[in-house]
């Protein structure tokens, strides 16, 4: 199997995205808990929906503001985004 990658992301509501991967799998991921618990000033912009929706798919991953916020593709696939301490 080729390397897992994101091919599409669709906004559902709030901070929730449906993320489609190159193997056809779709994960519904809610980023709110992560964004609102991080406490770092770089993430403040993503608390507002307009800021959160300002992402691109770059090199098979979802990327916010030139890598200010990015997650391992496998974590998105398994819907296991967590706050790393």
């Amino acid at each position: 199997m080729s390397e897992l990658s994101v091919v599409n992301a669709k906004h559902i509501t709030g901070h929730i995205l449906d993320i489609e991967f190159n193997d056809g799998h779709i994960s519904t991921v809610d980023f709110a808990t992560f964004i609102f618990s991080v406490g770092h000033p770089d993430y403040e912009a993503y608390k507002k929906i307009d800021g959160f929706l300002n992402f691109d798919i770059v090199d098979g991953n979802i990327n916010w503001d030139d890598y200010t916020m990015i997650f391992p593709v496998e974590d998105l696939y398994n819907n296991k985004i967590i706050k790393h301490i």
Side-chain angles (χ1 to χ4, degrees):
M1 180 178 162
S2 63
E3 184 176 328
L4 192 60
S5 63
V6 173
V7 295
N8 193 27
K10 177 183 169 191
H11 182 236
I12 301 303
T13 187
H15 291 83
I16 301 173
L17 299 177
D18 267 355
I19 303 170
E20 182 181 355
F21 299 86
N22 60 332
D23 68 353
H25 176 81
I26 296 175
S27 290
T28 302
V29 180
D30 187 348
F31 293 85
T33 300
F34 177 87
I35 292 169
F36 287 92
S37 69
V38 169
H40 192 283
D42 285 350
Y43 295 99
E44 286 298 312
Y46 309 128
K47 291 180 179 179
K48 296 178 183 175
I49 298 300
D50 289 346
F52 173 71
L53 294 178
N54 190 21
F55 64 84
D56 294 304
I57 297 175
V58 178
D59 296 328
N61 201 347
I62 301 174
N63 175 2
W64 283 266
D65 196 27
D66 197 27
Y67 300 98
T68 300
M69 185 166 74
I70 193 167
F71 300 90
V73 174
E74 293 80 11
D75 290 357
L76 297 173
Y77 189 93
N78 294 308
N79 198 2
K80 301 235 183 221
I81 59 170
I82 58 171
K83 178 181 172 187
H84 294 283
I85 299 173

